[in-house]
Amino acid sequence: MAKVTRDDVARLAGTSTAVVSYVINNGPRPVAPATKERVLAAIRELGYRPDRVAQAMASRRTDLIGLIVPDARQPFFAEMAHAVEQAAAERGKMVLVGNSDYLDEREVHYLRAFLGMRVSGLILISQGPSEGAAAEIEAWDARVVLMHRRPEAIDDVAVVLDDVGGAQLATRHLLEHGHSYVACLGGTASTPKWGDPVTDHIEGWSRAMREAGRSVEGRLISSPYNRYDTYTQALGLLSDPDRPTAIFCSTDDQAMGVLRAARELGIDVPGELAVAGFDDVKESGLTDPPLTTVGGDREAMAKAAVDLVLDDSLRVAGSRRERVRQFPAGLVVRRSCGCQGAAPLLG
């Protein structure tokens, strides 16, 4: 059976192939409603399927968005990737996902691969990006939106959460429960010193402690991001007779590791130890006890990122304020802090 072509659709609809193209691509020129309906009817009758590869070669762009995350096994990044995919689908786009594993060379690998596939744009959840990644982006003149990190380059186009304010909210809340101080599980030696969300979480914790007249000396603890390694670390931390009575964790995964270690050691949460996290992943409501944490409107952030990466008008003229979309953080109060659970508190 011969392949149905755009010429076949044009003949059946009684119009030109250019008009058929305008209907399929929703532009660049408008098509009269009656004509558009004839073209769509012809497409349905003939079973025509557009050649996406040919379209990409002609337009130098596909219906794909590239998304690079550090580790999709971590719940926060998995939930963010799902939100981006949903937002992209509403715009008629598909998402390619690559995991950098926090490695600069892996990030560059996916950048090259996705840009070579002529993606419409890139959403980058990155610790950097590295010099290699920045050079790759500049060489391809790629449209990039940073997520989950305050920008310092790449045209300052980003979607971020108020990480500093959210961490302040959580730390203040723990202090209001009467603890003499709140320890903080921060990042690792490789965590960037500026712009990274975990760095901002540490800054928010530090500000809240100082506002309350509490010293931060010796109370910031380097920690892996994932629950498994944090659990091992927390076994040692909580076995110390001078262990803290309240801990703010820079990620929910860290907090889940702490909760598991406390249970194993017979430490009552929140009676003997109060815990708060950051990210508000869905699992945080299912821990025992349910985890008090900080989160934001993930779906709205994903939609903003997709809009920015696809819409040139949002990325050209305008101030830094317009190009960096910051969303408010809210405190989701559950039982791990000592409360019985309440409505979210917005910062």
Side-chain angles (χ1 to χ4, degrees):
M1 184 176 178
K3 181 180 178 181
V4 178
T5 67
R6 195 168 297 191
D7 289 338
D8 298 326
V9 174
R11 277 194 295 272
L12 183 59
T15 187
S16 67
T17 55
V19 170
V20 174
S21 179
Y22 299 154
V23 171
I24 292 170
N25 297 311
N26 197 27
R29 295 185 180 179
V31 178
T35 304
K36 181 177 181 179
E37 184 50 44
R38 290 205 314 274
V39 171
L40 293 174
I43 288 172
R44 288 193 295 269
E45 182 176 336
L46 295 172
Y48 173 67
R49 295 292 181 269
D51 187 335
R52 296 299 183 188
V53 174
Q55 285 181 316
M57 292 179 67
S59 66
R60 296 186 176 272
R61 189 172 296 167
T62 64
D63 288 334
L64 301 172
I65 293 174
L67 172 65
I68 302 176
V69 300
D71 187 352
R73 294 172 300 180
Q74 294 184 26
F76 173 80
F77 297 123
E79 291 179 21
M80 184 59 78
H82 183 266
V84 168
E85 186 177 17
Q86 293 295 104
E90 292 174 5
R91 297 288 300 270
K93 304 292 183 180
M94 295 179 289
V95 178
L96 297 173
V97 180
N99 289 270
S100 71
D101 288 333
Y102 295 98
L103 299 173
D104 290 345
E105 59 270 26
R106 187 74 57 79
E107 183 176 84
V108 171
H109 164 77
Y110 278 113
L111 278 168
R112 287 175 179 160
F114 291 167
L115 292 170
M117 294 176 188
R118 301 181 187 273
V119 294
S120 294
L122 285 164
I123 296 174
L124 186 58
I125 301 177
S126 171
Q127 286 197 101
S130 65
E131 288 184 11
E136 202 71 31
I137 290 164
E138 184 176 356
W140 284 84
D141 191 26
R143 301 198 294 179
V144 176
V145 172
L146 297 177
M147 283 194 78
H148 193 51
R149 174 182 170 82
R150 286 184 290 129
E152 56 186 330
I154 313 182
D155 210 18
D156 289 340
V157 180
V159 175
V160 297
L161 191 67
D162 181 7
D163 289 289
V164 173
Q168 282 183 281
L169 273 177
T171 306
R172 285 173 188 155
H173 186 74
L174 290 174
L175 288 169
E176 287 167 0
H177 277 275
H179 299 282
S180 59
Y181 72 92
V182 176
C184 175
L185 291 193
T188 64
S190 63
T191 301
K193 303 303 181 186
W194 188 92
D196 185 84
V198 169
T199 304
D200 285 350
H201 299 169
I202 295 169
E203 174 63 23
W205 162 79
S206 178
R207 288 185 189 181
M209 287 280 283
R210 290 192 171 102
E211 285 170 0
R214 316 295 168 84
S215 171
V216 298
E217 189 67 31
R219 290 165 181 174
L220 172 60
I221 303 160
S222 296
S223 176
Y225 297 131
N226 69 80
R227 69 187 71 178
Y228 310 103
D229 293 332
T230 302
Y231 153 75
T232 302
Q233 179 188 40
L235 286 174
L237 173 66
L238 299 180
S239 295
D240 192 313
D242 294 326
R243 67 173 183 257
T245 60
I247 300 176
F248 165 66
C249 301
S250 295
T251 71
D252 282 353
D253 248 26
Q254 290 174 328
M256 290 175 195
V258 170
L259 290 177
R260 171 63 190 230
R263 174 176 286 274
E264 242 178 71
L265 294 171
I267 298 170
D268 177 63
V269 178
E272 298 174 83
L273 174 68
V275 180
F278 201 114
D279 287 335
D280 192 26
V281 300
K282 290 184 178 179
E283 286 180 82
S284 63
L286 300 177
T287 58
D288 186 17
L291 180 65
T292 291
T293 183
V294 178
D297 191 337
R298 197 165 291 140
E299 288 71 25
M301 292 177 68
K303 183 179 185 304
V306 169
D307 287 345
L308 281 167
V309 86
L310 294 178
D311 296 346
D312 289 326
S313 61
L314 294 175
R315 304 181 68 253
V316 181
S319 68
R320 176 182 171 86
R321 183 181 298 275
E322 293 169 326
R323 300 159 83 80
V324 179
R325 305 283 182 85
Q326 184 178 73
F327 285 75
L331 182 64
V332 184
V333 178
R334 298 193 180 102
R335 293 206 307 274
S336 68
C337 62
C339 294
Q340 292 304 306
L345 304 176
L346 295 178

